[in-house]
Amino acid sequence: MTISIIVPCYNEEEVINMTNTRLASVLDKMDLQSEIIYINDGSSDKTSSILSTFADEDSRIRVLSFSRNFGHQAAVSAGLQYCKGDAAIIIDADLQDPPELFPEMIRLWREGNEVVYGQRLSRKGESGFKKWSAKMFYRTINRLSDIKLPLDTGDFRLVDRIVIDAFNNLPERDKYIRGLFAWLGFRQTPISYNRDERAAGETKYPLKKMIKFASNGIIAFSRKPLEIALQMGIVTLLISLGLTVYTFISYFLRPMTIVPGWASTLLVILFLGSVQLLSTGVLGKYIGRIYDETKGRPEYIISHDSDSSSSK
Ligand code: UDP
Ligand code: MG
């Protein structure tokens, strides 16, 4: 049995040595073959050179380098494409998810679970805003989408080969990984843990990226926003029909009263205008996604693979 550890890294020079030591010490204690795949997601600091020294020193380690920064989700997808294990564990490079949980995850896997996902009991060292926004996001996406995302779950998880293959066969390029794993099904079980602080370095997910990531997750898994746009259209149509009737009636009953009505007219126009713009915006989001998918560009491009570099 072989287990693959998948670690996406973007500018992680401050923490990556620590991570590698901890991963190695956990893996050394286990009675399994293992490989560690580091995906260097176009880092501009020393991450790349540090990772190549790891690959030179330890034959279990493989480093895939992207030609530029393609994002965390693409990095994890690449790891899942390239890993050879009977199961893989996805883990962040910043040690927020403890590698010491591996033996327990593997035990649950050996009991027959095909996905073991980490569920956060608490999050240390993250701002109140981040915790609150994460909580709101998971609740919103569950209300909006057809699949149920387990609450407080990130990408830290173990997946069996059968699930990895199913995942790799999905034709979708812009992947929202945790959503897709929930969608795929199979036998899943949670494992609870306390999320630590980032061991060193800064977050690579600033607010702007987080909002993009969250809206992408909703668009990818729900058509509700489109339906809401339609419902708003219906409601405003009914209101304007009511207003028309009212205007006619008051014209015949008391012709003078409707003359000074410019304020209400303006309000109606503004309201309808904003509903229309909003609906067009929602449509645009979906069309943008269709456009991106039809271009058929690859999710990432690998510029260097430590396993095939020796043949040059
Ligand atoms: N990451 C990546 N590409 C990116 C951004 C992040 O590969 O464009 C990696 C990063 O190196 C880390 C993981 O994704 O291993 C999670 O990022 P981070 O810890 O900064 O996010 P946070 O935990 O603050 O949400
Ligand atoms: Mg982190």
Side-chain angles (χ1 to χ4, degrees):
M1 292 268 204
T2 310
I3 185 106
S4 307
I5 312 297
I6 295 171
V7 195
C9 309
Y10 177 53
N11 292 345
E12 298 287 10
E13 61 180 3
E14 280 155 276
V15 77
I16 200 69
N17 272 308
M18 227 189 295
T19 309
N20 193 49
T21 316
R22 239 171 95 184
L23 285 176
S25 80
V26 171
L27 293 175
D28 288 342
K29 284 189 218 119
M30 295 193 320
D31 57 343
L32 279 170
Q33 299 255 30
S34 58
E35 67 169 347
I36 307 180
I37 304 185
Y38 288 105
I39 300 97
N40 169 27
D41 183 13
S43 303
S44 51
D45 64 357
K46 294 199 205 72
T47 304
S48 169
S49 54
I50 302 173
L51 289 177
S52 16
T53 59
F54 294 167
D56 293 342
E57 283 161 14
D58 189 337
S59 60
R60 286 181 298 191
I61 294 177
R62 180 173 189 183
V63 179
L64 300 173
S65 284
F66 282 180
S67 58
R68 62 170 171 83
N69 179 248
F70 280 93
H72 175 219
Q73 303 287 292
V76 173
S77 300
L80 289 166
Q81 284 283 351
Y82 281 78
C83 71
K84 301 196 193 89
D86 300 296
I89 297 178
I90 304 162
I91 185 167
D92 283 355
D94 59 1
L95 293 174
Q96 281 193 285
D97 313 312
E100 289 71 25
L101 239 63
F102 291 176
E104 180 60 15
M105 293 169 102
I106 287 165
R107 193 185 63 76
L108 288 166
W109 168 54
R110 283 183 166 151
E111 276 179 7
N113 293 294
E114 286 146 332
V115 175
V116 182
Y117 57 89
Q119 199 157 33
R120 301 153 187 175
L121 291 171
S122 67
R123 301 163 149 236
K124 249 187 265 164
E126 287 183 337
S127 68
F129 174 73
K130 180 142 189 173
K131 282 185 213 168
W132 176 81
S133 56
K135 198 170 155 188
M136 290 315 288
F137 169 69
Y138 287 115
R139 277 150 191 82
T140 312
I141 195 168
N142 273 346
R143 197 156 301 158
L144 289 179
S145 71
D146 319 322
I147 52 140
K148 287 284 158 275
L149 270 186
L151 294 180
D152 306 315
T153 300
D155 288 329
F156 180 43
R157 67 184 70 225
L158 178 148
V159 276
D160 184 86
R161 172 52 57 189
I162 191 167
V163 189
I164 300 174
D165 289 343
F167 179 89
N168 289 339
N169 280 329
L170 294 172
E172 195 166 337
R173 259 169 292 268
D174 192 354
K175 295 200 178 83
Y176 183 67
I177 292 176
R178 57 198 73 169
L180 287 172
F181 277 123
W183 180 87
L184 279 169
F186 293 98
R187 251 186 92 175
Q188 308 217 2
T189 194
I191 177 167
S192 303
Y193 71 106
N194 292 310
R195 196 156 209 240
D196 284 331
E197 269 176 71
R198 182 176 246 286
E202 296 279 304
T203 176
K204 307 297 175 302
Y205 261 102
L207 185 63
K208 209 172 137 199
K209 255 194 198 171
M210 243 165 62
I211 293 175
K212 194 170 161 227
F213 180 60
S215 87
N216 206 10
I218 293 176
I219 302 288
F221 280 94
S222 169
R223 278 192 301 229
K224 281 262 171 63
L226 287 173
E227 285 158 23
I228 294 171
L230 183 70
Q231 285 158 4
M232 281 196 303
I234 293 172
V235 171
T236 49
L237 180 72
L238 290 177
I239 294 174
S240 53
L241 279 177
L243 268 175
T244 315
V245 173
Y246 169 78
T247 317
F248 265 105
I249 292 173
S250 39
Y251 178 77
F252 288 113
L253 292 184
R254 291 170 295 154
M256 289 315 286
T257 52
I258 58 157
V259 180
W262 68 271
S264 53
T265 315
L266 204 70
L267 277 178
V268 171
I269 292 173
L270 277 179
F271 178 66
L272 283 179
S274 50
V275 168
Q276 280 173 349
L277 279 179
L278 201 85
S279 312
T280 319
V282 170
L283 275 179
K285 279 272 175 200
Y286 284 87
I287 294 174
R289 200 177 156 85
I290 299 170
Y291 176 56
D292 281 344
E293 292 288 332
T294 52
K295 276 189 291 195
R297 289 192 191 138
E299 214 180 337
Y300 53 82
I301 291 167
I302 292 195
S303 62
H304 184 83
D305 176 356
S306 66
D307 263 18
S308 51
S309 54
S310 49
S311 55
K312 265 194 225 156

